[in-house]
């Protein structure tokens, strides 16, 4: 997890993404977003912070499949939304909501190979 000095009261501190296959999920997120991981065995991988300060989350092997497409919506930031769409698709993700405008910018939603829905947004 992140270093103690980086924790903020009532802020999101760590997110675990349930996946069917940790290796497949690591390949997807690495290819789509350049993420890197700390391996803790076949059932868990910690998501390294892109700022280099510890971990921000994890990929957790989850056997239950009834949760497909449900749960908390994690939204990532992108400087180039169209490039993110391309990379998600090339990595094997499925766009569930194409890019759309909203008051703060533009965003899209996608499903990862395990069926988790996430969003990506960019400023106008």
């Amino acid at each position: 997890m992140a270093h103690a000095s980086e924790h903020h009261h009532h802020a999101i501190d760590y997110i675990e993404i349930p996946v069917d296959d940790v290796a497949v999920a690591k390949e997807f997120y690495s290819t789509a977003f350049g993420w890197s991981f700390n391996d803790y065995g076949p059932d868990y991988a910690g998501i390294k912070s892109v700022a280099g300060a510890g971990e921000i989350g994890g990929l957790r092997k989850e056997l239950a499949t009834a949760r497909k497409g449900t749960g908390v919506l994690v939204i990532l930031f992108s400087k180039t939304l169209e490039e993110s769409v391309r990379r998600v698709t090339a990595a094997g993700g499925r766009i569930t909501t194409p890019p759309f405008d909203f008051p703060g910018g533009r965003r899209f939603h996608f499903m990862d190979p395990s069926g988790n829905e996430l969003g990506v947004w960019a400023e106008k």
Side-chain angles (χ1 to χ4, degrees):
M1 294 199 193
H3 298 301
S5 63
E6 296 175 18
H7 298 287
H8 299 283
H9 186 62
H10 289 171
I12 294 173
D13 192 62
Y14 198 84
I15 297 172
E16 289 188 336
I17 301 172
V19 299
D20 297 326
D21 184 310
V22 173
V24 169
K26 282 174 48 183
E27 178 64 26
F28 172 78
Y29 286 104
S30 175
T31 300
F33 300 109
W35 291 4
S36 58
F37 304 90
N38 292 318
D39 291 316
Y40 298 107
D43 295 338
Y44 201 90
I47 302 166
K48 293 182 182 179
S49 168
V50 293
E55 292 179 4
I56 58 166
L59 303 174
R60 180 188 75 243
K61 183 169 179 147
E62 178 68 49
L63 299 177
T65 57
R67 58 150 170 65
K68 298 285 187 197
T70 62
V72 174
L73 179 64
V74 176
I75 301 176
L76 310 173
F77 177 76
S78 174
K79 291 183 179 179
T80 55
L81 199 68
E82 295 303 324
E83 177 66 11
S84 294
V85 169
R86 188 195 66 71
R87 291 183 64 154
V88 164
T89 303
R94 182 173 59 86
I95 305 302
T96 58
T97 305
F100 63 93
D101 293 332
F102 71 99
R106 296 184 72 227
R107 83 183 215 193
F108 72 94
H109 294 192
F110 69 92
M111 288 270 194
D112 72 7
S114 292
N116 295 297
E117 184 175 21
L118 287 84
V120 180
W121 81 282
E123 296 174 323
K124 287 186 177 184

